[in-house]
């Protein structure tokens, strides 16, 4: 029997984002510290069996409809297709967020294993700037990866671009043109105060208003109605050139319709991207806990989900973990 999982603000929770590793082959300035990143010991990471067990509980008890694999960089974890096969068996909308650098090799196998969609993060289309943001000269591999994802049918392929003032805010139209030319949905993300360097200030955020105004002036846009619990506000190009979106986490937060919870690579359950407390599901899983025990721990945590984050207010507390450890 499926009962919906409802939080204290009457929002139905049904989307699980699983970070499967904290490791990454990139080191983006806005996501990871420049140095001093210590990877979690392998034995601390949930096994694929443990991940599948938590996912299955969420799907069979509460009817979760979406699972997204993230990281760190999910594709650096060995034998990823095996995990994809296990989770695809649950019949949910199975997606992955990746830096795309290895998709050129992996996309067909992941599609075959049951992955439905990918989102590729890419913050600059200029080689040198890309290398300076990610600390890897890998733009060509990411672009190949996006092409491979499209060819493999991991559709719709989305490209996430975090805009930062003075870093890449002059590439809004380049990304819009890239999306139109390549049949991918570009989504601009407002920079959030989860950067490991602590460089975030309100002035570094390139706002929803600016993005929409800039694109609309060159490629006229029409809003798409019926957003539901989607983080992106969506637009179509009036000339039929496809779709573009803005994730305005800072200036127009969408906490009121949030349906997401998160599981970190080391098995900590988080009821919000910005949560400052976590529930140790790994301890429940590894101490012989039953499915009921795991479910009770999740329900108790969801019972403490808050109304929304407080970015920009004095009450905002930065989570201890960097974005690379939470998964975005
Ligand atoms: N490695 C994968 C990737 O880059 O797509 C998955 C993990 S990454 C942490 C997930 C998403 O979080 C990426 O789209 C990334 O751009 C975004 N992200 C990381 N730090 C961010 C920040 N401070 N503000 C906004 N988005 C951020
Ligand atoms: Fe790695 Fe993704 Fe973070 Fe970049 S954004 S450092 S690719 S986890």
């Amino acid at each position: 029997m499926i009962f919906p999982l409802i939080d204290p603000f009457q929002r139905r929770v049904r989307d699980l984002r699983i970070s499967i590793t904290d490791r990454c082959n990139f080191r983006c300035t806005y996501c990871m510290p420049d140095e001093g990143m210590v990877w979690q010991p392998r034995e601390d990471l949930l096994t694929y069996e443990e991940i599948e067990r938590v996912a299955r509980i969420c799907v069979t008890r509460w009817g979760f409809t979406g699972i997204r694999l993230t990281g760190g960089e999910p594709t650096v974890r060995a034998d990823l297709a095996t995990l994809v096969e296990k989770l695809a068996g649950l019949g949910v909308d199975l997606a992955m967020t990746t830096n795309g650098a290895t998709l050129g090799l992996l996309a067909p196998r992941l599609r075959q294993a049951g992955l439905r969609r990918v989102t590729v993060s890419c913050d600059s289309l200029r080689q040198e700037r890309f290398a300076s943001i990610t600390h890897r000269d890998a733009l060509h591999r990411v672009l190949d990866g996006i092409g491979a994802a499209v060819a493999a049918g991991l559709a719709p392929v989305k490209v996430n671009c975090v805009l930062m003032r003075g870093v890449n805010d002059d590439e809004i139209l380049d990304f819009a043109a890239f999306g139109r030319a390549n049949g991918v949905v570009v989504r601009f993300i407002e920079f959030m105060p989860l950067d490991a360097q602590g460089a975030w200030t309100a002035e570094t955020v390139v706002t929803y208003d600016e993005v929409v105004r800039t694109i609309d002036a060159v490629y006229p846009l029409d809003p798409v109605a019926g957003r539901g619990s989607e983080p992106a506000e969506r637009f179509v190009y009036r000339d039929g050139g496809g779709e573009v979106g803005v994730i305005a986490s800072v200036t127009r937060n969408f906490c009121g319709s949030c349906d997401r919870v998160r599981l970190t690579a080391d098995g900590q359950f988080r009821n919000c991207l910005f949560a400052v407390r976590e529930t140790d599901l790994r301890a429940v899983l590894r101490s012989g806990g039953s499915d009921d025990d795991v479910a009770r721990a999740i329900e108790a945590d969801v019972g403490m989900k808050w109304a929304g984050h407080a970015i920009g207010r004095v009450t905002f507390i930065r989570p201890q973990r960097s974005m690379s450890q939470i998964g975005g």
Side-chain angles (χ1 to χ4, degrees):
M1 182 88 80
I2 287 179
F3 294 101
L5 183 58
I6 306 289
D7 79 6
F9 298 90
Q10 299 307 309
R11 296 167 298 196
R12 181 165 180 189
V13 175
R14 53 177 149 194
D15 187 280
L16 176 64
R17 309 214 157 182
I18 310 173
S19 168
I20 62 170
T21 177
D22 62 325
R23 291 166 198 245
C24 189
N25 43 2
F26 285 10
R27 194 157 41 83
C28 303
T29 49
Y30 59 85
C31 175
M32 261 191 206
D34 263 353
E35 44 197 52
M37 192 77 197
V38 180
W39 305 131
Q40 287 156 341
R42 285 191 192 277
E43 62 273 18
D44 284 1
L45 304 189
L46 293 190
T47 64
Y48 286 172
E49 288 69 27
E50 288 169 330
I51 291 172
E52 188 208 1
R53 184 169 168 210
V54 174
R56 185 174 38 76
I57 289 169
C58 290
V59 173
T60 56
R61 299 213 171 202
W62 305 301
F64 274 42
T65 52
I67 294 180
R68 176 172 291 274
L69 300 178
T70 175
E73 174 48 38
T75 61
V76 304
R77 192 142 171 193
D79 205 11
L80 176 58
T82 301
L83 176 64
V84 168
E85 257 159 25
K86 285 181 191 292
L87 297 177
L90 298 172
V92 289
D93 177 23
L94 184 59
M96 178 173 76
T97 306
T98 170
N99 63 30
T102 55
L103 270 186
L105 289 173
L106 294 177
R109 175 75 189 100
L110 293 176
R111 179 76 189 99
Q112 186 195 25
L115 189 66
R116 293 197 193 166
R117 315 185 273 120
V118 286
T119 299
V120 179
S121 305
C122 179
D123 308 306
S124 178
L125 294 169
R126 303 182 191 177
Q127 189 185 347
E128 280 183 20
R129 185 181 284 174
F130 181 95
S132 116
I133 294 173
T134 63
H135 292 99
R136 293 288 176 275
D137 183 11
L139 177 60
H140 56 291
R141 286 173 54 201
V142 173
L143 297 180
D144 284 352
I146 292 170
V150 172
L154 288 163
V157 175
K158 295 179 184 165
V159 172
N160 276 359
C161 170
V162 178
L163 287 172
M164 293 157 282
R165 179 75 60 207
V167 176
N168 59 354
D169 51 339
D170 53 350
E171 290 192 60
I172 296 173
L173 287 174
D174 291 352
F175 269 100
F178 176 83
R180 290 164 57 85
N182 292 281
V184 298
V185 179
V186 171
R187 302 191 313 177
F188 295 97
I189 306 183
E190 287 181 348
F191 184 30
M192 290 182 274
L194 275 169
D195 61 310
Q197 328 287 355
W200 187 93
T201 63
E203 290 68 41
T204 57
V205 179
V206 181
T207 65
Y208 166 96
D209 286 341
E210 180 175 340
V211 175
V212 175
R213 206 180 332 110
T214 305
I215 301 176
D216 187 56
V218 178
Y219 306 114
L221 296 172
D222 286 324
V224 175
R227 177 180 183 188
S229 55
E230 266 205 63
E233 297 190 49
R234 299 163 55 203
F235 299 85
V236 288
Y237 293 108
R238 203 166 296 153
D239 65 2
E243 185 182 317
V244 65
V246 185
I247 301 183
S249 330
V250 178
T251 63
R252 297 157 66 97
N253 88 52
F254 36 86
C255 302
S257 60
C258 176
D259 66 351
R260 283 167 294 283
V261 286
R262 293 175 161 81
L263 183 63
T264 66
D266 57 344
Q268 306 301 303
F269 185 87
R270 300 174 62 84
N271 61 34
C272 176
L273 185 57
F274 295 94
V276 287
R277 56 165 300 288
E278 303 175 331
T279 291
D280 188 357
L281 278 195
R282 188 185 63 197
V284 182
L285 293 165
R286 293 191 181 171
S287 61
S290 65
D291 284 2
D292 283 343
D293 294 330
V294 175
R296 269 193 293 271
I298 293 175
E299 281 169 347
D301 198 288
V302 167
M304 289 182 276
K305 194 164 156 74
W306 48 26
H309 69 63
I311 295 175
R313 281 183 263 151
V314 284
T315 46
F316 180 72
I317 305 171
R318 271 176 70 103
Q320 292 291 310
R321 291 179 187 257
S322 68
M323 192 71 134
S324 64
Q325 293 176 319
I326 301 173

